[in-house]
Amino acid sequence: MNIKRLTLTQKRALLGILFIMPWLLGFVFLFATPLFQSIHFSLSNMKIAPGGGYTLDFIGWDNFKNAMSIDPNFNRILTQSLSEMAWNVPMILFFSLFTATLLNTRFVGRPFARAIFFLPVILASGAIAAAQTSGLIQLTGSSEMAKELGQQQNGFDPLTLAFTLSDAGLPMWFIDYIISAVQRIYEIIKSSGVQILIFLAALQSVPVSMYEVAKMEGATAYETFWKITFPMVSPLILTNIIYTIIDSFTNSQVTTTIYNTAFQSQNFGLSAAMSWIYTAVISIILIIVGILVSRRVFYYN
């Protein structure tokens, strides 16, 4: 029996298909039907029938027009969420890369330090809140309470930092940005756990021989970082940017508004239209960011 052997390209294509197969099966069997139903809802006026079920009357683009021009809050909340995203993503990426670089160095207690930085992500996750609500675990406090206590007891004086940075000659917009980052340090740490893990994996994949050659050539730590480390982890910077943008919209005010419009105001058509506008805006941002950042990404192989 003559069995045709696969080429390297065909093997890689097969591995790629197997890699996305769990997501593809989940999308087809779990998400495809609700996705097309939401399109139908967004173009219809949905009414709950007295005896159960619902009726749909096709109204075209009216729900989209209502969301963009009649609803008093949606445009303002959407703009505010986009501004917060543009403000937060650079902070989270810089903190994640800086922390991952520190955690990648060898020191006593490194696994414990890594666990500490990832702990806020676990405590703030919905799984912990659900387990506590159902009585499976009992926590003595909450992440929100820890955040409030931290803000009350940290003794941070923004004026001192502002005067120090101003004396160093930094522009005022950058000083405001640094002070905002320090004041929201808990939120940044909570949002950086996954990104730190991704950067750690990227840092550990850099060949040690590169650092050895740089050391033999007399390169400084600054030159080693910008000539070796940063280019080698740049593909994962793009990954982290996309992940952070999507994650920043997960619990935004827009999501809450869409949920309240559907399940409190019972206006499912308007809620579906808001969801699709929101999805379109995020998709456009991701495409633009992906095109711009991918031009600067370095791929070793």
Side-chain angles (χ1 to χ4, degrees):
M1 184 176 179
N2 186 16
I3 300 176
K4 185 179 179 181
R5 299 188 63 178
L6 298 177
T7 63
L8 179 60
T9 304
Q10 291 173 330
K11 290 179 180 178
R12 288 182 173 179
L14 181 61
L15 286 175
I17 294 173
L18 292 175
F19 183 76
I20 67 169
M21 189 58 69
W23 170 84
L24 186 61
L25 292 175
F27 176 79
V28 171
F29 291 105
L30 299 177
F31 293 104
T33 301
L35 182 68
F36 291 112
Q37 278 186 333
S38 69
I39 298 175
H40 194 192
F41 290 169
S42 68
L43 300 173
S44 306
N45 182 22
M46 179 178 174
K47 295 180 180 178
I48 306 297
Y54 59 85
T55 58
L56 294 173
D57 299 324
F58 182 76
I59 58 174
W61 298 98
D62 286 356
N63 284 324
F64 291 90
K65 294 177 182 176
N66 291 339
M68 297 299 296
S69 59
I70 297 178
D71 188 274
N73 298 319
F74 182 70
N75 285 336
R76 177 181 58 80
I77 294 174
L78 180 60
T79 306
Q80 184 178 352
S81 296
L82 294 177
S83 302
E84 291 178 354
M85 180 273 297
W87 195 254
N88 290 335
V89 169
M91 289 185 191
I92 295 172
L93 289 176
F94 176 78
F95 179 81
S96 303
L97 182 57
F98 177 75
T99 307
T101 304
L102 289 179
L103 294 177
N104 195 45
T105 58
R106 294 182 179 180
F107 58 89
V108 178
R110 185 173 65 172
F112 181 70
R114 290 177 176 177
I116 287 177
F117 276 96
F118 197 69
L119 197 59
V121 181
I122 299 175
L123 293 178
S125 66
I128 295 295
Q132 189 176 8
T133 303
S134 61
L136 296 176
I137 60 173
Q138 292 294 330
L139 299 179
T140 56
S142 66
S143 58
E144 292 298 327
M145 184 178 296
K147 179 181 178 181
E148 294 176 1
L149 289 175
Q151 291 175 346
Q152 294 173 2
Q153 299 176 3
N154 59 12
F156 171 67
D157 184 8
L159 289 178
T160 303
L161 180 60
F163 288 140
T164 303
L165 296 177
S166 179
D167 292 340
L170 297 177
M172 187 54 66
W173 66 268
F174 188 70
I175 296 174
D176 293 338
Y177 189 75
I178 296 297
I179 292 176
S180 174
V182 175
Q183 289 177 326
R184 298 188 296 113
I185 188 63
Y186 177 82
E187 182 181 346
I188 294 174
I189 293 175
K190 187 183 70 175
S191 304
S192 303
V194 175
Q195 291 87 335
I196 291 173
L197 288 181
I198 294 174
F199 277 135
L200 267 176
L203 291 170
Q204 292 174 359
S205 65
V206 179
V208 181
S209 58
M210 289 187 174
Y211 293 112
E212 293 175 347
V213 171
K215 188 176 181 180
M216 292 173 62
E217 294 292 336
T220 62
Y222 180 84
E223 292 172 334
T224 302
F225 177 82
W226 288 108
K227 298 294 184 182
I228 296 178
T229 305
F230 192 80
M232 293 299 289
V233 303
S234 60
L236 276 303
I237 292 177
L238 175 60
T239 303
N240 270 339
I241 289 176
I242 293 175
Y243 175 83
T244 307
I245 291 175
I246 296 175
D247 188 56
S248 66
F249 288 117
T250 304
N251 296 316
S252 68
Q253 291 184 353
V254 181
T255 308
T256 305
T257 301
I258 293 172
Y259 179 85
N260 293 336
T261 303
F263 297 102
Q264 292 184 3
S265 303
Q266 300 291 313
N267 195 340
F268 292 94
L270 180 60
S271 174
M274 289 178 176
S275 301
W276 277 105
I277 293 172
Y278 194 32
T279 302
V281 171
I282 296 174
S283 301
I284 292 172
I285 292 174
L286 290 177
I287 291 172
I288 294 174
V289 171
I291 293 174
L292 294 178
V293 178
S294 61
R295 294 178 179 176
R296 301 288 183 180
V297 170
F298 170 76
Y299 292 99
Y300 179 60
N301 292 322

